[in-house]
Amino acid sequence: MIFDTLKPQVKTIISNNTLNKDTRLFQVCQLLEAHVNYYNWVGFYFKNGDKNELKLGPYVGAPTDHTIIPFGKGICGQVAVSNKNFVVPDVTAQDNYIACSITVKAEIVIPIFVNGENVGQIDIDSNTPDPFTEADERFLEFVCAEVAGIL
C-alpha cells in the first residue's frame, strides 16, 4: 500500500530540523500530492490566533481565494468546530461546501491536535468522485500526529 511507503518519508521530512516549519509542511504537501494520484490539492489550515477562523498555511495545488475560513463555514470550518474527521464523497451533495474549483469532486479534512486542542487540519481535494477510504483517514491521522510534533 502506498501509505506504508509514505509514512517513513513523512517522518523524515517532519524530523528535518534544518528546515523551518512551513518548509516542512510544504514538503509534506508535495509528497502527498505527488504520490497519491487522487490527491489533487493538499494543504494545511491553522487556527488564526484567538479568532474563530482558519488561516491557510502551506499547500500544493491550484491557487485558492479561501485564505481565511470562518469556523463553521465549509468542510474545513465544520471540522474546526466538530473536532472530527470529515470525508465528503461528493461535494455537490454538501449544503455547507465552499467550492474552490469546479474540478473538485470529493474532499477529506482531518484535524490536528496539540495537547488535546484542535489547532488546524489537513485538507485534501480530489478530482475523483468518492476516492477516500478508511485507509486514507488512518494515514492522514498519522500525518497530522507527526505534524503536531512541530507545532
Side-chain angles (χ1 to χ4, degrees):
M1 177 111 236
I2 185 70
F3 298 137
D4 292 333
T5 62
L6 291 176
K7 282 182 176 183
Q9 295 176 66
V10 168
K11 280 183 171 285
T12 299
I13 292 168
I14 293 298
S15 65
N16 185 351
N17 292 326
T18 63
L19 300 174
N20 70 34
K21 176 187 70 166
D22 282 351
T23 300
R24 288 183 268 175
L25 294 175
F26 179 71
Q27 287 183 354
V28 168
C29 293
Q30 288 179 307
L31 178 74
L32 301 188
E33 192 273 338
H35 292 282
V36 184
N37 64 354
Y38 53 92
Y39 286 11
N40 303 112
W41 191 97
V42 179
F44 291 96
Y45 281 93
F46 294 100
K47 188 169 189 293
N48 191 10
D50 292 334
K51 299 176 185 171
N52 284 332
E53 64 186 23
L54 297 165
K55 184 175 183 180
L56 181 63
Y59 72 94
V60 171
T64 178
D65 293 334
H66 306 291
T67 57
I68 300 290
I69 298 176
F71 281 13
K73 185 155 175 55
I75 308 307
C76 292
Q78 290 176 75
V79 169
V81 173
S82 73
N83 300 320
K84 292 183 177 14
N85 298 353
F86 201 151
V87 180
V88 182
D90 176 6
V91 296
T92 63
Q94 285 294 316
D95 291 338
N96 191 4
Y97 171 70
I98 303 171
C100 294
S101 166
I102 58 166
T103 61
V104 174
K105 305 290 185 224
E107 183 174 11
I108 185 170
V109 179
I110 308 293
I112 302 168
F113 295 98
V114 174
N115 298 323
E117 181 187 352
N118 183 346
V119 297
Q121 52 203 227
I122 191 167
D123 176 20
I124 298 177
D125 291 343
S126 180
N127 299 340
T128 304
D130 195 12
F132 304 116
T133 67
E134 188 173 325
D136 291 277
E137 281 193 79
R138 298 299 82 80
F139 171 67
L140 294 171
E141 287 169 349
F142 163 83
V143 171
C144 289
E146 291 295 312
V147 166
I150 64 168
L151 299 178

